[in-house]
Amino acid sequence: MNKSIIEATSDHHRGLLCETANLEATDYWLTADTATIFTVYGRILLLELYGEITENMAGAAQPNFAYVSTTPVIAKADICAVSASIAGLVTGNRVVWPGGTTGGTLVITGIAYDSPANAGVGFILGGVTAAGVNMIGGITADGSVADATDGNVRFTCVYAPMSTGAYVRPAV
Amino acid sequence: MGSLTFNYNQDTQDMIGAIIGGIRVETPVLSTLATYWTNPVTYAVFNVTGLIKIIAMYMEVTGVFDAGASTLVFRWTGTTPAVGIATMGVASGSMATSAVGSRWTFLGPGTVTAGPSAGISYLPAPFLVGGKTGAGVNATGVISALIAGGTQAADASGRYVLHYAAMTEGANAVSAI
């Protein structure tokens, strides 16, 4: 198969995919940090969400992910529970949103470039207003407990639109 | 390297959404309190032809609910062949003070449930509704909503959304409103 067929088949099987830039963990996983990494337009089915370590981590941060809506305003709510310390993660490790329920713990098991994927059911995020306009919200990367003091990470979001014109874009 | 987004046109993105998330049909936003949010009231929300797999079905809140303890349960009525009205699962708890963006989700034999919070809800387990007669003809029926328990007197509104996949030739679902 040529590359376009592989990509199209993957989109249909897995969902649409977008990635952030390669980010400094010290900008996103500070103790009291919350930063929007993906902008969500409309109603989506979230299928996969993970951060792939691209430079060894330092600092005992315990991150998680959350959803927040800006239009209309809906308070930020966690979509998983914080992981254990990421201090020992090395390049190729992933921090993986577990799906299922918001009580599921962010997964950091696995070895470099070999990790579990989302094992739970997907979440429906966002919505559509009474006027029929897609809500605008964001998926945030949140730190807790301690600051990340070194390391890089790139976040990936895989989704399917659930309202007309819904999509996700990296915010950073 | 910067961020990555595949710049598909909108039709392609919507098609991928339909392939993965199912075909989507919606009612209009329902805001007439006496017709849709009064205790008790029942109304058809989707007409079903043939057998469909419900991937997700929910009422998405578009106008905040007041303190009235309204509940929601979905019901199925077979038209052809005739099947008496039957409750699909268990009625929700009180929908009082539901915020905009909340989704009260059909969970098959379970309880219609919202949350865990506005703008965030879980994809339910799939459920099969409708069927085909012995003669090979698609059955027809109606999914209706029953509102009970309490009445909304202020600004409540919402829309019903169904994501489904056809399971028999010619099967489909459309908004009944």
Side-chain angles (χ1 to χ4, degrees):
Chain A
M1 288 190 286
N2 65 39
K3 187 168 184 290
S4 62
I5 292 176
I6 292 172
E7 289 177 349
T9 303
S10 299
D11 288 335
H12 291 166
H13 180 77
R14 162 213 71 202
L16 296 165
L17 180 149
C18 56
E19 294 178 347
T20 68
N22 188 28
L23 304 172
E24 293 285 346
T26 51
D27 291 333
Y28 293 88
W29 284 339
L30 300 179
T31 304
D33 193 28
T34 180
T36 298
I37 52 175
F38 294 104
T39 304
V40 177
Y41 299 87
R43 185 195 302 128
I44 66 156
L45 175 59
L46 181 64
L47 298 164
E48 297 280 357
L49 178 65
Y50 56 84
E52 184 173 278
I53 307 303
T54 55
E55 180 188 77
N56 293 355
M57 286 291 140
Q62 295 182 231
N64 70 345
F65 294 113
Y67 172 80
V68 62
S69 177
T70 52
T71 310
V73 173
I74 297 174
K76 185 165 72 75
D78 290 343
I79 58 173
C80 60
V82 301
S83 71
S85 168
I86 58 165
L89 298 188
V90 299
T91 299
N93 282 150
R94 296 185 188 95
V95 295
V96 179
W97 169 70
T101 72
T102 55
T105 301
L106 188 66
V107 176
I108 60 171
T109 56
I111 59 176
Y113 299 112
D114 181 9
S115 66
N118 165 29
V121 300
F123 285 10
I124 301 175
L125 298 183
V128 179
T129 70
V133 177
N134 280 326
M135 293 181 180
I136 302 174
I139 294 170
T140 65
D142 297 352
S144 72
V145 180
D147 293 348
T149 56
D150 198 7
N152 285 6
V153 58
R154 177 187 294 114
F155 295 103
T156 299
C157 175
V158 180
Y159 70 99
M162 296 287 269
S163 62
T164 302
Y167 61 95
V168 177
R169 288 290 180 271
V172 287
Chain B
M1 181 180 170
S3 60
L4 171 68
T5 301
F6 292 99
N7 291 308
Y8 295 121
N9 66 41
Q10 195 59 59
D11 287 349
T12 301
Q13 295 184 58
D14 289 344
M15 178 56 71
I16 290 171
I19 290 170
I20 294 174
I23 300 163
R24 174 174 50 87
V25 291
E26 299 182 355
T27 70
V29 171
L30 307 177
S31 56
T32 306
L33 299 178
T35 306
Y36 299 112
W37 309 115
T38 295
N39 174 29
V41 66
T42 185
Y43 45 93
V45 288
F46 298 112
N47 293 324
V48 177
T49 299
L51 174 61
I52 64 168
K53 179 167 78 171
I54 295 176
I55 296 171
M57 181 167 67
Y58 46 84
M59 188 277 288
E60 184 172 73
V61 175
T62 55
V64 66
F65 277 43
D66 66 22
S70 306
T71 62
L72 164 66
V73 70
F74 293 95
R75 303 199 293 181
W76 168 258
T77 308
T79 307
T80 307
V83 177
I85 193 164
T87 300
M88 304 167 70
V90 179
S92 71
S94 169
M95 299 191 289
T97 69
S98 284
V100 172
S102 301
R103 279 181 286 273
W104 289 88
T105 301
F106 170 68
L107 296 177
T111 302
V112 174
T113 302
S117 58
I120 302 174
S121 61
Y122 303 143
L123 187 70
F127 209 72
L128 297 173
V129 171
K132 188 163 68 174
T133 69
V137 177
N138 278 328
T140 59
V142 177
I143 295 171
S144 57
L146 170 62
I147 301 297
T151 292
Q152 296 298 305
D155 300 320
S157 69
R159 69 165 64 80
Y160 292 87
V161 183
L162 168 64
H163 304 263
Y164 76 96
M167 299 291 282
T168 55
E169 187 176 1
N172 68 87
V174 296
S175 170
I177 302 173

